[in-house]
Amino acid sequence: MAAQTDRSALSDHYDIVIVGAGPVGLMLSTCLARWGYKIKHIDNRAEPTPTGRADGIQPRSLDLLRNMGLKSAIMAHQPARVYEVAFWDPPKNGKGIVRTGTWASCPSFIDARYPFTTLLHQGLIERVFIADLKKNAVEVQRPWTITGFTSNEKEDSEYPVTVQIEHVDGTASEKIKAKYLFGGEGGKSFVRDQLKIGVTHKDPIAHVWGVMDGVVNTDFPDIKMKCTIHSEHGSIMVIPREDNMVRLYIQIASSTDADWHPRKTATAEEVQASAKKIFAPYTIEWERLEWFSVYPIGQGISDKYTLDHRVFLGGDACHTHSPKAGQGMNTAFLDAQNLAWKIHAVESGFARRSLLETYEPERKDVAETLLSFDNKYAKLFSQRPPPASTVAAASASATAATSTAGQEENEFIKTFKESCAFTSGYGVFYKANALNWSAAHPAQSHVVHPASTKLVPGRLFMNADVTRVVDANTAHLEQEVPLNGAFRLFVFAGKPSVTAQALRDLASGMARKGSFYTAYTRPDIESVSHHERHNPHSHFFTVCSIFAAKRSSIEISRDLPALLARYRDNVYADDRHAVSAHAKMGLDEERGAVVVVRPDGYTGFVVALAEGSATVDALNQYFGSFCTKKLGEAQSLL
């Protein structure tokens, strides 16, 4: 939970001021509100997004929302689900358009719980977050805007940021002291401009797009699917929506046009007329037009995400790109999640302040990859797609995950694989640092990162089905620990008869004074309810134990030392599939391993489960590289 100081109770003192109540601001606010932080959250709009804007939730983001307990509220709106994408082009002979192929939105080679894109109006998504904020006594202050700020840690090390805000009509104003300021107010960010942080545009080609949401009457057979349509009259992307609506993206102009002008516009009637030509020979009429906009799109990335690790940027304030790949809101969610748990780790006294220095490189690298992908995707969109046979070959090749030795994959197959992994969210990864182990990390010993493991530090922890021992329920292991700001320790315990001593040594080492585990014991541990499932010993660690054995053969009190048995609701049998979770992750099915997963679900560290002190020594070294307390002989990396 957030640390309390003498100044915390002052009415004009806040842990963080968040500017902007779009996806990035709301995700950050929701995480920090749940963890007990005092938040001033403002937005210059009088109400949440009424129509339009972002609408696509990718599979990885749906995982995150489920982990936060918000997925059900979003799915209650009955959003459209995209399982396949259809491609339409001019026929080889004749006029009009014909379907030339389809492919899965999230192919089977991607290990996704939800292999589809969820499509729902952004305003409804915002309201789900706003309702959750109210449960934690946080409300977005509307319509208020930021008018100025300063950040000076030398003058005030505890609350270094001073922020001026005012009502948009100028009738009221406030001056606030804060530990942090977050600018999530979009591409025209005031915070970014005041910091004099530039935006680098990756592609000189810019486009003007028309986008419209509405209910249509059409004989086009794939109106309920995501489609790219290319015809001699232009191109359209079709996105199905909730409540029988459909979204159409129509390119109006490109900087490669002879008469290019970045402020070129068009009326809804003109864009509808263009759409009718593109859809021919099929017909389309609008029964209701809910939203229409024309806007220029360029690929840009902020040169910095922060200057002092007190004032941060995220979401569209950092990166702008085309809407076609449906990545804006999803990237914003992960920007916010990444920053939220790191602020929490620092402010709660667990991690050194230098941990915040990992936010920019981790998230900016993802944005760089997004812009490179978006550039490639935009070009693919403007080209005639390959024939259905090539699409089928790509899908088959990807599923098999094998290729003939020395045989080069064609460019389309490569792009197909790369783009599907990235757009689903599962292709996102973070490079080596203190959190993501590598050969350069201080944590080094013979038990670190077993050669057989398929888990990669900096990539998402793998999905796995297991059986919860206490109630025999099937569980999704990666979802068993909610987004609670804690590191997740997955003790893959192998066979009980083989690992009994190693488990005793692990528990003994964790219980030893000065270990990573006891160094951060809850101060209220004596009064913690026996019903507390995830954090009975520490706010910073949740422990799960997984045996490679049938549930019926496991007795928690017999097979686990008391320290691990305390997490009895988090003990599992790895008996759901012929290929066990141990094997899927490349972990020894007899001797096991310990996997450290970051609070955001990414693998950080893998260590063999060995008899003696080596396993705990390695864990002390890993956590000691960024924690505030000295753990054994741990070296600092930050």
Side-chain angles (χ1 to χ4, degrees):
M1 301 297 287
Q4 299 298 308
T5 68
D6 292 341
R7 298 168 68 185
S8 301
L10 297 175
S11 62
D12 61 347
H13 283 56
Y14 290 84
D15 291 312
I16 188 168
V17 176
I18 297 174
V19 184
V24 69
L26 289 170
M27 174 63 80
L28 180 62
S29 196
T30 298
C31 290
L32 293 177
R34 289 179 171 192
W35 301 333
Y37 289 86
K38 186 178 178 183
I39 300 166
K40 171 71 80 170
H41 195 163
I42 66 170
D43 190 273
N44 61 8
R45 301 171 297 167
E47 60 181 17
T49 302
T51 55
R53 297 207 181 186
D55 62 357
I57 302 175
Q58 301 297 346
R60 161 60 187 146
S61 297
L62 210 56
D63 284 343
L64 169 58
L65 293 168
R66 176 185 168 188
N67 201 230
M68 297 176 70
L70 300 178
K71 173 178 167 282
S72 295
I74 286 174
M75 300 308 284
H77 290 289
Q78 298 184 319
R81 302 183 186 191
V82 169
Y83 285 90
E84 289 190 0
V85 182
F87 294 87
W88 290 72
D89 288 275
K92 291 182 178 180
N93 300 305
K95 295 185 177 182
I97 53 174
V98 295
R99 188 190 300 112
T100 54
T102 63
W103 65 47
S105 178
C106 185
S108 59
F109 68 85
I110 297 173
D111 188 18
R113 290 289 181 194
Y114 309 105
F116 53 84
T117 300
T118 303
L119 295 156
L120 184 68
H121 158 39
Q122 180 178 316
L124 296 176
I125 298 169
E126 289 176 6
R127 284 172 170 82
V128 169
F129 282 94
I130 290 168
D132 194 79
L133 284 172
K134 287 182 178 179
K135 296 176 184 177
N136 293 288
V138 175
E139 293 205 25
V140 179
Q141 190 169 319
R142 305 173 184 270
W144 281 65
T145 188
I146 183 171
T147 57
F149 66 90
T150 59
S151 178
N152 192 327
E153 210 161 19
K154 291 182 179 179
E155 288 186 1
D156 189 339
S157 61
E158 189 180 359
Y159 289 87
V161 185
T162 303
V163 186
Q164 290 86 34
I165 63 173
E166 70 174 27
H167 194 280
V168 293
D169 67 7
T171 57
S173 64
E174 295 180 25
K175 184 176 181 180
I176 301 162
K177 294 290 291 182
K179 296 177 181 177
Y180 299 95
L181 169 64
F182 181 76
E185 72 272 53
K188 297 179 180 179
S189 169
F190 173 87
V191 175
R192 188 191 64 226
D193 289 347
Q194 292 299 298
L195 292 173
K196 294 182 169 49
I197 294 175
V199 175
T200 299
H201 292 280
K202 297 295 182 180
D203 191 337
I205 297 177
H207 303 278
V208 175
W209 283 81
V211 57
M212 58 175 61
D213 291 341
V215 178
V216 301
N217 183 359
T218 180
D219 57 355
F220 179 66
D222 287 347
I223 199 66
K224 294 290 186 180
M225 292 180 65
K226 180 177 179 179
C227 304
T228 61
I229 304 175
H230 303 83
S231 85
E232 60 181 322
H233 300 292
S235 300
I236 284 181
M237 179 170 280
V238 178
I239 307 289
R241 291 282 303 275
E242 75 281 1
D243 295 333
N244 294 317
M245 285 196 300
V246 64
R247 170 170 289 188
L248 300 181
Y249 286 109
I250 305 172
Q251 187 171 312
I252 293 173
S254 169
S255 55
T256 57
D257 297 341
D259 61 347
W260 161 252
H261 192 284
R263 297 190 181 279
K264 184 171 182 176
T265 189
T267 65
E269 291 74 17
E270 288 171 337
V271 174
Q272 287 174 343
S274 295
K276 290 180 179 182
K277 291 180 180 179
I278 295 170
F279 272 105
Y282 301 100
T283 61
I284 183 168
E285 298 291 341
W286 276 260
E287 295 180 352
R288 174 168 61 87
L289 182 62
E290 174 152 314
W291 179 67
F292 170 73
S293 181
V294 173
Y295 54 96
I297 289 292
Q299 295 173 331
I301 188 168
S302 179
D303 295 335
K304 298 286 293 180
Y305 283 25
T306 181
L307 298 181
D308 61 356
H309 305 101
R310 288 290 189 171
V311 181
F312 290 93
L313 302 171
D316 287 354
C318 293
H319 37 76
T320 57
H321 42 85
S322 82
K324 296 185 293 299
Q327 294 301 301
M329 179 163 55
N330 299 274
T331 306
F333 282 159
L334 296 184
D335 283 350
Q337 182 201 29
N338 188 289
L339 182 60
W341 79 259
K342 290 173 181 176
I343 287 177
H344 176 55
V346 169
E347 289 303 316
S348 58
F350 178 69
R352 290 190 287 278
R353 182 159 294 281
S354 49
L355 182 71
L356 294 171
E357 295 172 13
T358 65
Y359 168 67
E360 179 179 305
E362 286 198 338
R363 295 307 302 162
K364 189 175 182 186
D365 189 62
V366 171
E368 294 273 11
T369 304
L370 168 59
L371 265 63
S372 295
F373 159 74
D374 187 56
N375 185 31
K376 182 183 291 186
Y377 194 85
K379 289 177 180 176
L380 285 173
F381 181 76
S382 64
Q383 296 172 357
R384 181 188 178 98
S389 59
T390 305
V391 175
S395 190
S397 171
T399 302
T402 59
S403 60
T404 304
Q407 184 175 334
E408 187 73 19
E409 289 182 329
N410 69 49
E411 186 60 29
F412 173 69
I413 289 177
K414 289 181 181 177
T415 303
F416 176 79
K417 290 170 134 180
E418 292 168 2
S419 65
C420 289
F422 189 83
T423 56
S424 69
Y426 291 101
V428 171
F429 69 94
Y430 299 135
K431 293 178 180 177
N433 56 26
L435 297 163
N436 312 317
W437 184 88
S438 71
H441 198 284
Q444 298 291 334
S445 83
H446 67 283
V447 296
V448 170
H449 203 74
S452 64
T453 185
K454 298 175 185 177
L455 294 168
V456 180
R459 288 193 178 272
L460 280 169
F461 181 61
M462 291 182 181
N463 295 340
D465 295 338
V466 291
T467 305
R468 194 183 302 116
V469 171
V470 294
D471 58 10
N473 278 217
T474 298
H476 294 165
L477 186 59
E478 76 284 354
Q479 287 286 347
E480 282 294 275
V481 182
L483 182 63
N484 59 7
F487 279 80
R488 306 161 187 190
L489 270 63
F490 290 96
V491 180
F492 284 84
K495 289 188 176 180
S497 60
V498 175
T499 59
Q501 185 59 49
L503 289 170
R504 286 193 291 269
D505 291 341
L506 173 66
S508 176
M510 288 171 65
R512 192 174 299 125
K513 183 179 181 181
S515 78
F516 72 93
Y517 190 73
T518 58
Y520 295 97
T521 301
R522 290 177 61 149
D524 62 345
I525 190 168
E526 298 300 328
S527 60
V528 174
S529 168
H530 68 278
H531 292 296
E532 173 58 45
R533 175 180 176 183
H534 298 297
N535 301 107
H537 290 133
S538 171
H539 287 300
F540 306 110
F541 302 104
T542 298
V543 181
C544 300
S545 299
I546 308 98
F547 284 105
K550 293 289 186 182
R551 175 188 170 273
S552 59
S553 70
I554 299 169
E555 188 62 55
I556 294 174
S557 60
R558 178 195 66 205
D559 296 330
L560 281 174
L563 183 146
L564 301 177
R566 172 60 182 85
Y567 297 85
R568 61 182 296 106
D569 290 341
N570 291 347
V571 179
Y572 307 92
D574 189 1
D575 62 358
R576 298 305 306 174
H577 300 295
V579 177
S580 68
H582 283 68
K584 181 179 181 180
M585 300 185 194
L587 306 176
D588 193 309
E589 290 185 272
E590 290 199 352
R591 300 190 176 279
V594 178
V595 180
V596 177
V597 175
R598 301 167 17 151
D600 54 2
Y602 289 81
T603 301
F605 189 54
V606 183
V607 58
L609 179 60
E611 294 181 9
S613 66
T615 300
V616 171
D617 289 344
L619 291 167
N620 284 337
Q621 290 176 349
Y622 170 75
F623 285 109
S625 69
F626 55 86
C627 286
T628 54
K629 298 177 182 180
K630 185 176 180 180
L631 308 174
E633 296 300 316
Q635 304 172 56
S636 174
L637 187 64
L638 289 175

